[in-house]
Amino acid sequence: MQRRDFLKVVGGVGVVAVAPSLIEGRLYAEDGTLYTSYKKVQLTDAEGKPLLASQLDKEVNYVFNYPYAGTSCMLIALPHPTEKNVKLTSEDGVQYIWKGGVGKERNIVAFSSICPHQLTHINKSDTFISYLKTGGKTMGCTKSMPCHDKGEVIVCGSHLSVYDPKKGAKVLGGPAPQPLASIVLEHHNDDTLWAVGVLGADKFHEFFRAFKPELKEQYGGKRKAKKLVKDKAQTVTLAEFTKDIIRY
Ligand code: FES
């Protein structure tokens, strides 16, 4: 099917070409893709310099906030290329396609850290959801599961939901009703990384409703936490971002 592009004014300051299915903001495109376009933001290091894909240590859990100032995301350079064009399904039964990792090795992925079960997320005080390296053990991967003692999964320790980052954070086990929402990344020729949107059903609305006291303490209030990230997103390791990483 031929897709014509349209021009759209973004935030009154710029114009970008978008496919017809993108015009509504939150999208249910003809091909089943569930995608929300946000501001294009460059990932930077802690000093504000452009973060280069080649600079990422493999299997380190990095964190940046996107698309809102108070919504944390995880960035991981996996040890191997991801799968491509993985078919995923949201809690509401909407199917969408996760295209795969970016970078030369197609191994760099990013996901919203908000667990769709009961909204556990990476935060500045204590964090129960994180990436588990190759060979890592978790109670979430029992003996009957292929991930048992293999690691290379994202685990939410609150109720032991396990997600496969090689497959767009597809649920491998536990009570999570759908994959983590994926942050759509672009990798440019100069090796820089950019976040451009969110794929899958996100939980931002529920998150902002549920964590008012935390948002006040960590971001100065809900209004500040709900500001869209503009231009740059500082990226640090999880160990730098949070005081305590708790794993089960
Ligand atoms: S909140 Fe993550 S598994 Fe329950």
Side-chain angles (χ1 to χ4, degrees), residues 115 117-120 156 158-161 175:
C115 177
H117 178 228
Q118 288 185 4
L119 312 178
T120 286
C156 177
S158 291
H159 312 95
L160 297 177
S161 285

Side-chain angles (χ1 to χ4, degrees), residues 44-46 51 55-65 72-76 122-124 127 130 234-245 247:
T44 70
D45 64 15
L51 183 74
Q55 176 186 337
L56 296 174
D57 288 323
K58 279 188 181 167
E59 298 208 89
V60 168
N61 195 143
Y62 294 92
V63 183
F64 63 97
N65 283 16
S72 58
C73 304
M74 52 183 89
L75 173 78
I76 312 152
I122 290 174
N123 71 89
K124 295 180 184 179
T127 290
S130 60
Q234 192 187 58
T235 307
V236 296
T237 63
L238 178 59
E240 289 167 319
F241 189 89
T242 193
K243 284 191 189 130
D244 206 2
I245 304 169
R247 294 196 169 108

Side-chain angles (χ1 to χ4, degrees), residues 13-232:
V13 292
V15 177
V16 295
V18 294
S21 55
L22 300 188
I23 288 173
E24 295 305 318
R26 182 176 291 279
L27 316 169
Y28 296 88
E30 310 125 299
D31 59 0
T33 305
L34 173 57
Y35 177 75
T36 309
S37 176
Y38 288 96
K39 288 181 187 300
K40 182 169 174 170
V41 162
Q42 180 164 31
L43 304 194
T44 70
D45 64 15
E47 276 93 50
K49 293 187 201 130
L51 183 74
L52 302 180
S54 55
Q55 176 186 337
L56 296 174
D57 288 323
K58 279 188 181 167
E59 298 208 89
V60 168
N61 195 143
Y62 294 92
V63 183
F64 63 97
N65 283 16
Y66 184 82
Y68 300 100
T71 51
S72 58
C73 304
M74 52 183 89
L75 173 78
I76 312 152
L78 295 169
H80 309 291
T82 68
E83 293 195 9
K84 285 186 200 165
N85 299 321
V86 181
K87 208 182 261 184
L88 299 172
T89 307
S90 74
E91 192 173 3
D92 296 339
V94 179
Q95 286 203 331
Y96 58 100
I97 306 291
W98 182 75
K99 297 279 184 195
V102 300
K104 271 190 199 156
E105 297 179 50
R106 294 189 58 82
N107 65 329
I108 299 171
V109 295
F111 302 103
S112 162
S113 79
I114 303 170
C115 177
H117 178 228
Q118 288 185 4
L119 312 178
T120 286
H121 53 279
I122 290 174
N123 71 89
K124 295 180 184 179
S125 53
D126 49 7
T127 290
F128 283 77
I129 183 166
S130 60
Y131 174 73
L132 184 68
K133 282 183 184 179
T134 303
K137 294 183 197 324
T138 168
M139 286 160 66
C141 290
T142 56
K143 275 190 184 160
S144 60
M145 292 168 68
C147 59
H148 182 62
D149 287 358
K150 291 214 172 96
E152 236 190 289
V153 287
I154 294 164
V155 183
C156 177
S158 291
H159 312 95
L160 297 177
S161 285
V162 182
Y163 304 92
D164 189 343
K166 299 184 297 301
K167 295 184 181 172
K170 193 175 193 158
V171 179
L172 293 177
Q178 64 183 14
L180 297 172
S182 170
I183 306 303
V184 178
L185 295 175
E186 284 179 8
H187 177 236
H188 288 190
N189 289 340
D190 59 1
D191 207 28
T192 54
L193 289 164
W194 303 72
V196 297
V198 179
L199 178 73
D202 65 67
K203 289 284 177 183
F204 300 139
H205 182 67
E206 294 87 337
F207 169 80
F208 283 120
R209 223 176 27 198
F211 291 100
K212 274 189 196 165
E214 178 189 302
L215 295 171
K216 187 162 189 203
E217 183 198 319
Q218 302 196 2
Y219 294 98
K222 184 169 156 186
R223 195 184 287 180
K224 285 187 182 163
K226 272 188 100 168
K227 279 202 171 155
L228 285 170
V229 177
K230 276 194 218 159
D231 307 323
K232 291 177 178 183

